[in-house]
Amino acid sequence: MRCVIARFPFDLTKNGVLESMKGVTPEPVAGESVIIGRRTYPVKQVGQVITRQDRRDFSAGEVVRAMTRLGFTCLPAAGAPAPSDGALQQAAAALGTPRLA
């Protein structure tokens, strides 16, 4: 899959990412993270390994978008607010009606 990270195009595959991260020890997770295999890596660490660029050159969002498109599970930062319900669900909750699907 072709994606752009830090204004540079990359052709990434799920197997290629798995191979790149093989043998890499995960750093402690302080922000957003991605699960690769059975390990949880900080998003910036994954971006640095797969692009070979400095972590300051790309955003965590760029890497999260690419990893999600490849089928990896990405997790928000610990303590980050969960995605909020839509306005219709919030209004239904305020009125005490059952949640709408």
Side-chain angles (χ1 to χ4, degrees):
M1 176 197 73
R2 190 169 190 88
C3 63
V4 176
I5 298 175
R7 298 180 312 226
F8 291 98
F10 293 93
D11 287 316
L12 300 175
T13 63
K14 188 166 187 169
N15 288 335
V17 172
L18 288 167
E19 191 65 33
S20 295
M21 297 306 293
K22 189 178 290 185
V24 176
T25 303
E27 297 172 357
V29 175
E32 294 175 292
S33 59
V34 59
I35 299 172
I36 299 176
R38 287 184 266 156
R39 295 181 170 188
T40 302
Y41 294 90
V43 169
K44 289 283 200 166
Q45 181 183 13
V46 174
Q48 182 181 20
V49 171
I50 64 173
T51 66
R52 296 190 175 111
Q53 294 184 11
D54 191 277
R55 295 178 189 202
R56 296 172 291 182
D57 293 340
F58 55 85
S59 70
E62 291 174 305
V63 179
V64 167
R65 188 171 29 255
M67 295 299 103
T68 302
R69 287 178 58 195
L70 286 172
F72 292 104
T73 302
C74 296
L75 305 171
S84 65
D85 289 334
L88 185 60
Q89 284 80 11
Q90 288 176 356
L95 294 171
T97 57
R99 292 181 60 94
L100 302 173

